[in-house]
Structures are given as C-alpha cells and as structure tokens.
C-alpha cells in the first residue's frame, strides 16, 4: 500500500492490514459501513459498538475519522475513489479472476460489497490462506466457484507466497521463510513463473 492510498479492507485476513501500517505512511481506510480514515483495531476494554470495520471488529478512534451513510460509502466505491481493495478469496485464477462470495457445496454466500469493489477499486489485492481447509489449492487455473469479478486481481498474498498476476501467468515474487518455490508450486494448480529476484 502506497502513501496516500484510499484502501478498503475485506472481511477476514484483510482486516489485519490496518494493524501493520509502516511508520510515516499515510493510508486512509474506507469501509462500506460508512467510515473513512479509520485506524487500527481497538484495544481490549476500549471497544465502541458504533465503531466497527466490515468484519464487525472494533476500531480505535483516530483524529480525522468521518462517518456517513452506507449509500455514500458505496458511491465512493462505484465512483472509482478507492485506490486499493484488499479482499479475501475462495479461489483466484491464474488470470486474476476472483471468486469470494459463495461456497456452492454449502449453498451459502453473501455478495456484500465485494462485487462493487471488484469493479470499482483501481487495484485488487487478495489476502488469503494458500489452501482451503481440505488442503485443496485456492490458486487455480479456472475458478469453479461463482465469479465475483473477472481479471480484476493484480496481486495475491497468501500465508506462504506473494504472486503477481501478469499476462504471461502468475509470477512468484516471494516465499515464506522455510518455503521454496517448489514447495509453493506443489500446492498451486497453475504453473508458476519464478521471479529471478525471488525473495
């Protein structure tokens, strides 16, 4: 996330981003619930029921926070005012297709603001675990779950790897400590292009 970005954080792992803003970097966080310029999550004992993020987690108040109607929050998304959305995913394809709103085998799902963000945010980063609870790859050749957006994801960050979506395929840029490119490939469906500067 770059200095000055307006960023929307999805439910789950993405909400943790607000806890890790580097010193001196100015990030303006936005939520569909109608809050702009929020900070980290509230400390235990300092929770305010009126101050939550998209995941319902309590936020710490910060100077400059603003509050407004949810319709205005969606107008910001649909108007192209969100620089980056960090979203969770059930599946991401090698072309950057995103599926994150429904598990067909369970017949449950809620589109929420994900479809608006997939279409309206200038950049989509997916933050998720690399495999599902059964150990199946979530980075796939083709999404088998219903799409949220086609070709909208530019970067995939998992617990074991960072991959950039390129026109040639998925570029493996980073691996977690103790992991090799081969280890990551073994739990990834599409063939990965290993960066010459792999970190």
């Amino acid at each position: 996330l770059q200095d000055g970005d307006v960023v929307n954080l999805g439910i789950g792992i993405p909400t943790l981003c607000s806890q890790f803003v580097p010193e001196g970097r100015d990030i303006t966080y936005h939520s569909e619930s109608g809050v702009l310029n929020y900070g980290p999550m509230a400390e235990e004992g300092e929770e305010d029921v009126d101050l939550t993020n998209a995941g319902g987690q309590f936020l710490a108040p910060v100077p400059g926070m603003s509050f407004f109607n949810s319709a205005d929050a969606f107008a910001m998304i649909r108007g192209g005012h969100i620089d980056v959305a960090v979203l969770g995913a059930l599946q991401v394809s090698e072309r950057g297709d995103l599926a994150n709103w429904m598990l067909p085998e369970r017949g449950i799902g809620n589109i929420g603001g994900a479809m608006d963000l997939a279409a309206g945010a200038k950049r989509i980063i997916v933050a998720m675990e690399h495999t599902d609870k059964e150990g199946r790859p979530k980075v796939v050749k083709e999404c088998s779950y219903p799409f949220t957006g086609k070709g909208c994801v530019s970067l995939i960050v998992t617990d074991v790897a960072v991959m950039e979506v390129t026109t040639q395929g998925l570029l493996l840029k980073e691996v977690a400590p103790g992991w090799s490119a081969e280890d990551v490939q073994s739990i990834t469906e599409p063939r990965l292009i290993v960066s010459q500067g792999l970190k």
Side-chain angles (χ1 to χ4, degrees), residues 8 10 32 74 77-79 82 85 87-88 98-102 109-122 124 145-150 152-153:
N8 182 288
E32 303 95 305
F74 274 90
I77 297 169
R78 295 168 184 168
I82 307 302
L87 302 174
L98 172 65
N100 76 345
W101 72 276
M102 184 180 207
N110 182 356
I111 196 65
M115 195 173 284
D116 294 272
L117 288 161
K122 294 172 189 164
I124 301 289
Y145 293 162
F147 281 152
T148 305
K150 289 195 77 173
C152 59
V153 177

Side-chain angles (χ1 to χ4, degrees), residues 86-116:
V86 183
L87 302 174
L90 299 169
Q91 292 178 333
V92 183
S93 82
E94 61 187 337
R95 289 184 304 281
D97 302 326
L98 172 65
N100 76 345
W101 72 276
M102 184 180 207
L103 280 167
E105 61 265 28
R106 290 174 58 193
I108 57 168
N110 182 356
I111 196 65
M115 195 173 284
D116 294 272

